[in-house]
Amino acid sequence: MLFNSLDFAVFLPIVFILYWFIANKSLKLQNLLLVVASYVFYGWWDYRFLTLILFSSLVDYTIGLKLKEDNKHSIRKTLLWISIIVNLGFLGFFKYYNFFVDNFVQAFSFFGTKVQPNTLNIILPVGISFYTFQTLSYTIDVYKRRLEPTSDIVSFLAFVSFFPQLVAGPIERATHLLPQFYNKRVFYYSKAVDGCRQILWGLFKKIVIADGCAEYANLIFNNSSEYSGSTLFVGALFFTFQIYGDFSGYSDIAIGTARLFGFNLKQNFAFPYFSRDIAEFWRRWHISLSTWFRDYLYIPVGGSRGSIWLKIRNIFLIFIVSGFWHGANWTFIFWGFLNAIYFLPLLITNRNRNNLDVIAQNKLLPNLREMFGVFFTFMITVLAWVFFRAETMSHAFNFLDEVFSKTLFSLPTIRPTNIILAIVFFFTIEWLGKGKKYAIEKLLLKQSVFYRWGFYMFLLALIFVFSNQSQQEFIYFQF
């Protein structure tokens, strides 16, 4: 069930009414309703996926209770490894089985040996990469005694399957989200309105910006051999805007929807394209995943401690694993490797935490140094996104080879005015709201109702116009 679909437009009000007007007398009944609603939401794609998420949830729920009962270190460690192997085993099988088989066959073919592969027609369960990491955070934190394990199975099932953020995040920690299922939720009109405002902005990002850009990004990338360097560069720009609008738009809708039910999810994007260096970019892009890898992989293997060579090793490890998490393709692995290369100069010179504040805070415009930093960071990010979007490594290198040819200085053959104007409007609003949790959080709140609702109606009109042109699935559903 897509956030930008008619199905969800019917589903959400029904669940909202049942939650606040029928089940509001009992916390357990509200949680049970959320479990049922979440399983309906998830099973809408394929009911067979439900057995996988239910099994994963029951395994980690049981292991959590066993970790509480036993204080023997060896047994606790064994239980943790069972959780890790089960969860990553499912993820590895469904997401990476054919990748490893195909590369195994190619490796043997290189040495002149033919191997008959046994590849499977495996359907990738939607959101498996997200809920796997979410439930793993529970068992790891219980093992490290950061969190008391729950005996409330309904709350735990609701935590793992919570439908607003189930299939594409944010990846919530058990320490943050699970306790919210224990406490009685009270409906606050102001929070509900704020949630609706964030949903509106997320839909604008997805339908107007992401889907609008996707039409031309797909056209250019799928027929890249037919276009000049300048047109290919435009295609790379369109994909850069598409993936941001798509993924951050999903996060905004998820966070806003959760707020309608009295839950607070963590911010997942903090205006990353206004970053002054690549380290700041990764503190602002897909925050829930970046911090997950930081806390559960980067720090345990040493983090920024030790010699410079260990620091470099750890940086490459976290970025390459992050790339592989995104998909079973060498393009994603190289994308991660390239970002590690970008990060390296900042690490070596100890400048990776220079830009912790908001750019041009309390100012309308940045200074020249900040402008150059934003431009440079944005351009190398565009370059990296080419590998993320390309079908193969050769496709990416051929694409870039033409971009850096003399045809880069020709006039692009594809330059849709409506999308360009929408992007300019979008980033103007983003810039004005860059210090907030989302761009329009406080926009026009001090103005009259006429101006405020006029702006909302304008966004709705754009959403309506663009929704009639094309509808795309969210990019991160494939991860």
Side-chain angles (χ1 to χ4, degrees), residues 286-305:
H286 202 347
I287 299 167
S288 63
L289 180 67
S290 299
T291 54
W292 199 99
F293 277 123
R294 180 197 66 196
D295 295 342
Y296 297 113
L297 179 61
Y298 181 67
I299 292 176
V301 298
S304 56
R305 302 185 301 273

Side-chain angles (χ1 to χ4, degrees), residues 277 279-285 287 352-356:
D277 59 50
E280 183 183 9
F281 175 85
W282 280 108
R283 283 192 296 271
R284 295 177 176 277
W285 179 276
I287 299 167
N352 55 302
R353 297 188 64 80
N354 276 9
N355 297 306
L356 300 177

Side-chain angles (χ1 to χ4, degrees), residues 83-230:
S83 174
I84 292 172
I85 291 169
V86 169
N87 284 286
L88 295 186
F90 277 132
L91 181 62
F93 175 75
F94 283 100
K95 194 167 183 177
Y96 302 109
Y97 175 82
N98 286 339
F99 172 81
F100 284 114
V101 168
D102 291 343
N103 281 276
F104 179 79
V105 171
Q106 289 179 17
F108 272 83
S109 299
F110 180 79
F111 294 103
T113 303
K114 291 185 177 181
V115 178
Q116 293 297 325
N118 290 315
T119 54
L120 303 175
N121 185 23
I122 299 172
I123 301 174
L124 179 65
V126 177
I128 188 172
S129 298
F130 291 88
Y131 72 71
T132 295
F133 274 26
Q134 185 154 308
T135 189
L136 266 179
S137 78
Y138 171 78
T139 49
I140 293 172
D141 285 344
V142 170
Y143 171 78
K144 292 182 175 292
R145 303 187 192 279
R146 298 171 184 157
L147 179 70
E148 187 71 17
T150 182
S151 58
D152 185 346
I153 190 169
V154 174
S155 292
F156 186 77
L157 292 175
F159 155 71
V160 176
S161 65
F162 190 42
F163 75 88
Q165 46 84 229
L166 172 60
V167 296
I171 302 170
E172 282 289 338
R173 306 294 179 83
T175 51
H176 178 252
L177 181 57
L178 183 57
Q180 295 185 51
F181 287 97
Y182 305 153
N183 303 320
K184 181 176 175 58
R185 272 87 65 181
V186 178
F187 180 80
Y188 291 103
Y189 177 77
S190 59
K191 288 186 177 181
V193 170
D194 187 54
C196 290
R197 191 182 297 116
Q198 190 162 4
I199 291 171
L200 175 64
W201 188 240
L203 287 171
F204 172 81
K205 284 182 177 180
K206 166 58 181 170
I207 296 172
V208 178
I209 302 301
D211 290 358
C213 289
E215 180 182 353
Y216 299 99
N218 292 340
L219 175 66
I220 293 170
F221 269 91
N222 294 341
N223 304 279
S224 57
S225 61
E226 301 175 10
Y227 294 111
S228 65
S230 59

Side-chain angles (χ1 to χ4, degrees), residues 166-445:
L166 172 60
V167 296
I171 302 170
E172 282 289 338
R173 306 294 179 83
T175 51
H176 178 252
L177 181 57
L178 183 57
Q180 295 185 51
F181 287 97
Y182 305 153
N183 303 320
K184 181 176 175 58
R185 272 87 65 181
V186 178
F187 180 80
Y188 291 103
Y189 177 77
S190 59
K191 288 186 177 181
V193 170
D194 187 54
C196 290
R197 191 182 297 116
Q198 190 162 4
I199 291 171
L200 175 64
W201 188 240
L203 287 171
F204 172 81
K205 284 182 177 180
K206 166 58 181 170
I207 296 172
V208 178
I209 302 301
D211 290 358
C213 289
E215 180 182 353
Y216 299 99
N218 292 340
L219 175 66
I220 293 170
F221 269 91
N222 294 341
N223 304 279
S224 57
S225 61
E226 301 175 10
Y227 294 111
S228 65
S230 59
T231 304
L232 295 184
F233 179 68
V234 168
L237 287 175
F238 279 140
F239 180 72
T240 299
F241 301 133
Q242 177 197 352
I243 194 169
Y244 173 59
D246 193 284
F247 197 16
S248 69
Y250 184 96
S251 293
D252 281 336
I253 299 169
I255 294 167
T257 302
R259 198 172 295 125
L260 292 178
F261 294 91
F263 290 87
N264 293 312
L265 303 184
K266 291 189 175 181
Q267 185 179 15
N268 207 22
F269 288 83
F271 312 95
Y273 288 158
F274 299 144
S275 301
R276 290 152 289 186
D277 59 50
I278 202 67
E280 183 183 9
F281 175 85
W282 280 108
R283 283 192 296 271
R284 295 177 176 277
W285 179 276
H286 202 347
I287 299 167
S288 63
L289 180 67
S290 299
T291 54
W292 199 99
F293 277 123
R294 180 197 66 196
D295 295 342
Y296 297 113
L297 179 61
Y298 181 67
I299 292 176
V301 298
S304 56
R305 302 185 301 273
S307 67
I308 187 64
W309 295 112
L310 286 177
K311 294 178 183 178
I312 292 172
R313 181 204 67 178
N314 295 341
I315 285 296
F316 274 94
L317 174 65
I318 192 172
F319 274 110
I320 290 173
V321 170
S322 176
F324 198 42
W325 176 90
H326 281 85
N329 195 322
W330 285 105
T331 55
F332 296 116
I333 295 173
F334 189 82
W335 170 77
F337 175 82
L338 190 57
N339 275 282
I341 295 291
Y342 292 164
F343 198 95
L344 214 52
L346 297 174
L347 178 71
I348 293 172
T349 58
N350 201 29
R351 291 186 294 116
N352 55 302
R353 297 188 64 80
N354 276 9
N355 297 306
L356 300 177
D357 58 336
V358 177
I359 184 174
Q361 195 165 22
N362 302 319
K363 294 188 295 184
L364 181 61
L365 297 173
N367 59 42
L368 288 176
R369 184 176 181 178
E370 288 176 325
M371 288 178 66
F372 175 78
V374 170
F375 176 77
F376 180 77
T377 304
F378 180 77
M379 294 309 295
I380 62 174
T381 301
V382 172
L383 175 66
W385 284 136
V386 171
F387 290 93
F388 195 95
R389 174 59 180 80
E391 299 296 328
T392 62
M393 289 295 292
S394 60
H395 181 203
F397 282 117
N398 290 336
F399 190 102
L400 291 174
D401 184 56
E402 186 62 33
V403 167
F404 291 109
S405 70
K406 61 182 180 181
T407 62
L408 176 62
F409 302 100
S410 62
L411 193 65
T413 55
I414 296 177
R415 46 184 192 278
T417 304
N418 60 333
I419 299 299
I420 294 171
L421 290 175
I423 291 171
V424 171
F425 168 76
F426 169 58
F427 275 96
T428 300
I429 301 299
E430 288 267 295
W431 178 262
L432 293 175
K434 64 185 181 301
K436 306 295 185 286
K437 291 182 179 178
Y438 61 98
I440 67 169
E441 181 184 14
K442 303 294 183 182
L443 190 67
L444 298 177
L445 289 187

